[in-house]
Amino acid sequence: MNLQALRRPAAWVWLAAMLLGAWLATRATYVADLSAFLPSSPSAEQRVLLEQLRHGVTARVMLVGVRGGDAALRGEASRGLAAALRTGGEFDSVNNGDALGTPKAVGELLMGHRYLLSPAVDAQRFSVDGLRDGIADTTAMLGTPAGAWIKPLLWRDPTGEMARLAETLLPSGGPRVEAGVWVSRSQPRALLVAITRAGGSDLDGQAQAIDALHRAFAPWAARGLSLDLSGAGVLGVQSRTLIKAEVERLALWDGAIVLALLLLAFGSLKALGVALLPVASGVLAGTVAVSLGFGQVHGMTLGFGTTLIGEAVDYAIYYLVQARPAAGSAPGGGALHWRRHNWPTVRWGLLTSLAGFSALVFSGFGGLAQLGVFSVAGLLAAALTTRYLLVDLAPDGAPGLGLRMRLGQATARMASALPRLRWFWGGLGAAALALLLCLPSAWRGQLTHLSPVSAKALTLDASLRADLGAAELGTLVAIEAPDEATALQRAEQASARLDPLVAAGLLAGYESPTRLLPAEATQAARRAALPDADTLRARVKLATVDGLLPADRLEPFIADVQAQRQARPLTRADYDGTPLATALQAQLLPAAQGRPWTVLLSLRAGTQALPAARLRDAMQGLPDTRVVEIQPELDALYARYLREAFWQSALGALAVLLILYAGLRSLRRLWRVALPLAASVVLVLAGLTLAGVALGVLHLVGLLLVVAVGSNYALFFDQLAQQDAREADAETLASLLLANLTIVASFALLCTSSVPLLVALGEVVAPGTALCLLLSASWARRAGGVGQSGP
């Protein structure tokens, strides 16, 4: 290493930039949720879903199951865990079916407004026949399990309005009560639902809530019980943890593999240290650029950064191997020779890489744009570090020989033999292209393929939701309105059209905010149906003749009716600070940031299939009302994501061709440079299609990277075709094979990852870059020297 280089400005500028970059990187925010891969300008239906994914109450729901022991022990654990969580500061509410989960204030609120809330209340309800039927239904329930909590309310609520409210508020098929707490209907598991104080996208807050839950459960874990835990926040934290562990593991192994290859090739620790400087520059520059540009760095982007090790080190390899001084040249002659003869080729390769990835920078999907910014900044930093720093630190390239001369000789032999296989590769490429045109498209990836959440975790989540009676149809009715009153009125109109579908068995039920907060006009109509005291007393006397309840014991009922005749309408504010506020917030979304008031009616699947067209017909004519099918909308979202990435990649490919032509100034040379790249892409796609791989956005990003890396190989072979020097051939060929080995090893390592998106990159780039080297050598036309072939 040339220590005199430390006196030159380039070294100090680089050092200052690295220190500043390290300081900024340590203060960056790193995330792992899918919101970065959602569009910035969604459709109306998609906007409903995205609001829930990003900011909705459903993103704060934590589903908890308690397993092990007997029913009594599980019930004891459920009550103890709920009590501990309610006293902590991490959860807004915790519900497990016990009396403490519904505070006294909530019961009093519902009891004090039950006649404004009950859908059964109308003039008929308080007629003599209506009262008689209501009292008969209520007394018949005294012998059922519900009788234990109906009996204390009997004299105040003989018509059973509270029981009917409970029926409307609790989902059908939900948990049953055993040992005083919610339990699964299908397996030995106690159930709890906790709402975190932290937002769903606040993964640090979600992690703290998970830790608090595990601490509270520790005494029961010591007694042999176990936890089932899921929810959007839980899955997000699991994803972040997995991505972090995978990034650290891959960076460690990737670094070790690259170090071993470089050490074997150079046989010099000094050369090894110098070669790593562009890598460090590239990864740090990419991280800082994304952090400054987006305010946060996604874990997938950071995982992609580990792959930059294999590409960024290529620049160092090109220089350290190719900058060998000619015999008898002055010290530093190697750097001068490289800048004059090889740097122009590297520069054109860099420009093609930047052009390809720049297309992603302008994506409407933040995650894809992050990958573009990271790649552009990282590659630019690595190349500039090589051009301006390495030429000073190692002016005559790598001092050691190692195995690189053998690598050069091996590559030279390969380059001599491969042109004989030119027609074989051409035929194989044509067959692969025909195969792609004939077979069904393999581009069928889904948005969920971007998530590292395991199938086991998703199965557990579905199981807990089924036990709790969560919506199963995967469809929402979304209603928008300019104000709260209109939103509630439209929700009631939609409910009136959904009720016949429930009666027909096409729906098991649905959730609506109007069950907790009827429109003010509806509350007024129900209040008007309540008779005055004298009228009601006379009707009660007639309705209880020969009945089980004596009329003179029902004065509390008459008093409650009179009180509610004077009660003010219920408002959203009445639920503040109660567990019911969370349910209301999930169904009634206030206007915010240009978004109108929104009502979400979630539907539960019935005994018969409900065609979406039938549901849309039912909602026909309701203003600003949409039927949102969650999975089709997610599929459409991903299709748009993929379609946009295709167009951006096409523009990037066009830019690459234009840049190559500007550098080569010959259509014939452009054909020989571009053909290996195109053939490599086609062969990789055909192989993955035959293997049954569902191709997605990350595969497309991988193909961009194949072109970016492969263009360097093709350009160098084009350069060799213009010269006759055998020694220059050996050095250049050695650098190409070594660069190829490092990047193939780096990306092949990704195939061992448990994160699907990293596997997607690995299974494209590893074979793709290997093919680029082989095909570039096969189609090379040499003017003389090693690897010469005929016309």
Side-chain angles (χ1 to χ4, degrees):
M1 183 180 297
N2 182 14
L3 297 180
Q4 297 297 322
L6 298 179
R7 298 180 180 178
R8 298 176 183 174
W12 292 105
V13 170
W14 176 85
L15 183 60
M18 291 293 287
L19 291 175
L20 177 61
W23 182 79
L24 292 172
T26 58
R27 284 157 177 76
T29 300
Y30 300 92
V31 300
D33 63 295
L34 280 178
S35 63
F37 292 88
L38 301 177
S40 55
S41 56
S43 66
E45 289 80 5
Q46 292 166 357
R47 186 178 68 244
V48 172
L49 297 178
L50 300 188
E51 283 292 331
Q52 290 301 296
L53 286 173
R54 288 170 172 149
H55 311 297
V57 173
T58 53
R60 297 163 47 207
V61 174
M62 197 171 290
L63 311 175
V64 185
V66 178
R67 289 184 175 276
D70 56 20
L73 182 58
R74 290 193 297 270
E76 182 183 351
S78 175
R79 288 187 292 272
L81 179 60
L85 296 181
R86 288 167 186 153
T87 58
E90 289 81 9
F91 295 91
D92 278 344
S93 66
V94 180
N95 297 286
N96 67 337
D98 66 0
L100 295 177
T102 306
K104 184 178 179 181
V106 176
E108 292 176 351
L109 176 67
L110 297 178
M111 188 71 176
H113 293 82
R114 63 189 182 278
Y115 297 118
L116 305 184
L117 291 170
S118 175
V121 171
D122 56 15
Q124 171 60 28
R125 184 68 166 173
F126 286 91
S127 67
V128 173
D129 290 339
L131 289 170
R132 183 182 296 113
D133 292 341
I135 292 172
D137 291 342
T138 302
T139 53
M141 294 177 66
L142 291 175
T144 69
W149 68 270
I150 290 177
K151 188 175 181 178
L153 303 177
L154 186 60
W155 308 112
R156 293 182 61 189
D157 188 27
T159 58
E161 304 308 329
M162 285 296 289
R164 285 163 181 79
L165 274 180
E167 290 176 358
T168 61
L169 296 178
L170 292 177
S172 60
R176 60 188 178 86
V177 176
E178 183 179 288
V181 299
W182 285 339
V183 299
S184 169
R185 292 179 180 271
S186 60
Q187 53 188 306
R189 178 166 64 189
L191 302 168
L192 302 91
V193 177
I195 309 298
T196 62
R197 188 155 295 170
S201 59
D202 179 8
L203 293 187
D204 289 333
Q206 291 291 323
Q208 292 173 6
I210 293 170
D211 289 341
L213 195 151
H214 281 292
R215 288 195 303 271
F217 189 72
W220 310 105
R223 298 175 64 178
L225 300 185
S226 61
L227 271 181
D228 287 339
L229 192 59
S230 192
V234 174
L235 298 179
V237 171
Q238 290 176 356
S239 298
R240 182 176 69 172
T241 302
L242 176 60
I243 290 175
K244 180 181 178 182
E246 282 294 278
V247 167
E248 291 174 351
R249 182 184 71 86
L250 292 172
L252 179 64
W253 280 101
D254 196 10
I257 291 172
V258 170
L259 286 175
L261 286 173
L262 295 180
L263 191 58
L264 286 173
F266 294 134
S268 167
L269 291 175
K270 291 182 179 180
L272 179 62
V274 171
L276 295 180
L277 298 181
V279 177
S281 303
V283 173
L284 195 58
T287 302
V288 171
V290 170
S291 177
L292 294 178
F294 297 88
Q296 60 186 22
V297 182
H298 196 277
M300 194 190 80
T301 305
L302 205 57
F304 182 75
T306 65
T307 67
L308 197 64
I309 294 175
E311 186 177 3
V313 78
D314 285 359
Y315 296 115
I317 291 172
Y318 294 147
Y319 173 73
L320 292 174
V321 175
Q322 296 169 9
R324 297 290 293 170
S329 64
L336 181 62
H337 174 83
W338 184 81
R339 285 199 300 266
R340 181 178 301 166
H341 296 283
N342 298 92
W343 168 248
T345 303
V346 174
R347 183 178 58 206
W348 284 113
L350 171 66
L351 290 176
T352 60
S353 299
L354 297 182
F357 282 106
S358 292
L360 300 180
V361 173
F362 304 101
S363 171
F365 295 80
L368 205 57
Q370 281 197 22
L371 293 181
V373 169
F374 190 99
S375 300
V376 168
L379 294 178
L380 189 60
L384 292 178
T385 300
T386 302
R387 169 61 180 82
Y388 293 102
L389 182 64
L390 267 60
V391 294
D392 287 341
L393 294 178
D396 289 320
L401 292 178
L403 297 177
R404 72 178 188 207
M405 291 308 297
R406 296 182 183 178
L407 290 174
Q409 294 167 0
T411 312
R413 289 192 294 270
M414 178 185 71
S416 298
L418 282 175
R420 301 168 190 165
L421 301 175
R422 182 182 304 162
W423 294 109
F424 167 76
W425 290 117
L428 189 62
L433 182 59
L435 184 70
L436 290 175
L437 294 176
C438 295
L439 291 178
S441 174
W443 296 96
R444 56 180 185 275
Q446 297 180 347
L447 188 65
T448 52
H449 292 170
L450 297 176
S451 172
V453 177
S454 67
K456 181 179 179 181
L458 293 176
T459 300
L460 174 61
D461 186 77
S463 172
L464 286 168
R465 292 183 184 278
D467 282 351
L468 288 161
E472 300 173 347
L473 188 58
T475 303
L476 298 172
V477 174
I479 305 167
E480 294 182 344
D483 51 54
E484 179 182 350
T486 306
L488 293 173
Q489 290 172 3
R490 291 178 179 176
E492 290 182 344
Q493 293 169 357
S495 296
R497 301 190 181 195
L498 290 174
D499 288 337
L501 300 179
V502 175
L506 296 173
L507 288 176
Y510 59 91
E511 307 298 330
S512 172
T514 57
R515 291 174 177 169
L516 288 172
L517 188 62
E520 189 168 340
T522 301
Q523 294 189 53
R526 291 171 180 170
R527 184 189 301 109
L530 302 177
D532 59 51
D534 292 339
T535 302
L536 181 57
R537 187 175 289 110
R539 292 176 181 175
V540 166
K541 187 173 182 179
L542 293 173
T544 55
V545 172
D546 298 327
L548 297 177
L549 303 183
D552 58 357
R553 294 287 304 277
L554 296 178
E555 284 298 321
F557 163 59
I558 297 172
D560 275 8
V561 171
Q562 301 315 303
Q564 293 190 40
R565 290 185 69 202
Q566 309 301 321
R568 61 174 178 79
L570 269 170
T571 65
R572 282 191 311 126
D574 291 321
Y575 291 101
D576 289 348
T578 72
L580 296 179
T582 302
L584 195 55
Q585 291 166 11
Q587 299 164 9
L588 180 62
L589 285 62
Q593 299 178 349
R595 181 200 68 206
W597 281 79
T598 304
V599 173
L600 298 179
L601 307 181
S602 56
L603 314 179
R604 295 193 297 276
T607 56
Q608 304 177 47
L610 174 60
R614 173 78 178 273
L615 185 58
R616 289 191 174 90
D617 288 344
M619 297 294 112
Q620 191 69 33
L622 291 181
D624 297 319
T625 299
R626 298 178 179 86
V627 174
V628 181
E629 296 179 271
I630 296 176
Q631 191 57 52
E633 287 299 332
L634 291 177
D635 291 341
L637 188 67
Y638 191 83
R640 176 188 165 190
Y641 192 7
L642 190 57
R643 187 167 55 250
E644 181 175 319
F646 266 119
W647 278 107
Q648 289 159 346
S649 299
L651 291 175
L654 178 61
V656 167
L657 288 176
L658 293 176
I659 290 173
L660 287 174
Y661 180 73
L664 299 172
R665 299 183 180 277
S666 165
L667 288 176
R668 185 181 183 87
R669 292 174 65 189
L670 176 63
W671 169 257
R672 292 195 176 278
V673 167
L675 186 59
L677 307 182
S680 298
V681 168
V682 169
L683 288 171
V684 169
L685 287 178
L688 293 175
T689 300
L690 287 175
V693 176
L695 302 181
V697 170
L698 268 298
H699 294 93
L700 189 58
V701 173
L703 293 175
L704 273 178
L705 194 52
V706 167
V707 173
V709 176
S711 63
N712 289 278
Y713 306 147
L715 285 169
F716 269 117
F717 275 104
D718 176 77
Q719 175 190 330
L720 293 176
Q722 312 306 312
Q723 63 188 33
D724 298 329
R726 183 177 296 270
E727 291 185 3
D729 283 353
E731 295 289 355
T732 301
L733 292 173
S735 68
L736 293 180
L737 181 57
L738 183 57
N740 186 257
L741 288 175
T742 58
I743 201 162
V744 169
S746 295
F747 280 90
L749 184 65
L750 294 187
C751 295
T752 68
S753 175
S754 56
V755 179
L757 50 88
L758 295 179
V759 174
L761 284 172
E763 61 191 8
V764 169
V765 180
T769 51
L771 283 170
C772 280
L773 182 64
L774 289 174
L775 298 184
S776 295
S778 297
W779 273 298
R781 291 294 293 268
R782 305 293 304 282
V786 179
Q788 184 176 358
S789 66

